[in-house]
């Protein structure tokens, strides 16, 4: 399955409330629940916002035209782009508002910051592993089974 995804993963601390509308600076209206295959097939520009939330973390998948400033979050968080069709990959990890690591790859060019150079396959695996740790579910194994809440920006 080829991915074209932009996502944000935020680790929650006990008692945390993550306001997705504030994070995305958009009003959201719930549409319906969807599975991961539907998320992957509809993550286009200006597309829906798909949210998977547990007691431990949140995964937000947005359209390809969106990137967000995570430096104002105190929670550990990552933002990623997996654009396999365009062959572009991006990963950044923040903790207490400080950039801790970054990885950018496009075709043959790779730039890293506080991160070991790795294959694209390993990077994608790292994104799903980190997602699983934050949500405290086996995301790589269960990604096709979990339900996301789909929202539309208004």
């Amino acid at each position: 399955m080829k991915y074209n995804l932009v996502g944000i993963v935020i680790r929650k601390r006990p008692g945390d409330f993550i306001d997705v509308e504030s994070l995305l600076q958009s009003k959201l209206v719930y549409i319906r629940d969807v599975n991961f295959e539907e998320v992957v097939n509809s993550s286009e520009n200006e597309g829906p916002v798909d949210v998977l939330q547990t007691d431990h973390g949140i995964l937000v998948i947005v359209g390809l035209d969106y990137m967000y400033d995570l430096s104002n979050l105190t929670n550990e968080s990552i933002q990623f782009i997996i654009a396999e069709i365009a062959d572009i990959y991006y990963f950044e990890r923040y903790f207490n508002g400080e950039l801790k690591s970054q990885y950018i790859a496009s075709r043959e060019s790779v730039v890293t910051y506080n991160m070991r150079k790795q294959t694209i396959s390993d990077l994608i695996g790292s994104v799903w592993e980190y997602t699983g740790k934050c949500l405290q579910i086996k995301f790589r194994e269960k990604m096709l089974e979990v339900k996301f809440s789909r929202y539309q920006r208004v």
Side-chain angles (χ1 to χ4, degrees):
M1 182 182 306
K2 294 255 184 205
Y3 299 118
N4 267 336
L5 302 172
V6 174
I8 300 167
V9 181
I10 303 170
R11 184 185 304 259
K12 287 183 181 177
R13 294 180 290 249
D16 276 357
F17 171 74
I18 307 290
D19 184 352
V20 177
E21 288 182 335
S22 292
L23 176 70
L24 303 182
Q25 299 176 342
S26 294
K27 176 81 174 137
L28 301 175
V29 175
Y30 173 80
I31 299 173
R32 63 186 170 93
D33 286 346
V34 295
N35 62 30
F36 188 70
E37 189 172 341
E38 289 175 275
V39 170
V40 171
N41 289 332
S42 66
S43 59
E44 305 163 357
N45 303 346
E46 299 296 326
V49 174
D50 296 309
V51 178
L52 174 60
Q53 191 160 197
T54 70
D55 290 339
H56 308 283
I58 186 168
L59 167 61
V60 181
I61 304 291
V62 296
L64 287 173
D65 279 351
Y66 296 94
M67 290 288 293
Y68 297 91
D69 178 8
L70 303 183
S71 65
N72 59 345
L73 297 176
T74 57
N75 302 60
E76 184 175 3
S77 56
I78 69 166
Q79 182 164 222
F80 63 88
I81 298 173
I82 302 173
E84 291 181 300
I85 294 170
D87 199 23
I88 297 170
Y89 306 89
Y90 179 81
F91 172 93
E92 63 182 8
R93 184 176 67 86
Y94 284 85
F95 188 73
N96 285 330
E98 183 181 328
L99 181 64
K100 293 295 185 181
S101 56
Q102 189 175 46
Y103 183 100
I104 306 165
S106 175
R107 305 221 189 309
E108 299 299 320
S109 177
V110 176
V111 177
T112 64
Y113 168 74
N114 284 346
M115 195 170 180
R116 68 175 170 77
K117 193 170 179 179
Q118 53 188 316
T119 67
I120 297 303
S121 179
D122 288 343
L123 178 67
I124 294 169
S126 296
V127 167
W128 300 143
E129 276 183 45
Y130 182 85
T131 300
K133 285 180 185 175
C134 282
L135 302 178
Q136 292 192 6
I137 60 174
K138 295 181 179 181
F139 189 75
R140 285 182 88 171
E141 297 170 20
K142 306 274 185 190
M143 66 173 39
L144 297 177
E145 300 169 20
V146 296
K147 293 291 182 196
F148 287 75
S149 297
R150 172 159 288 171
Y151 297 88
Q152 188 64 49
R153 297 169 194 267
V154 290

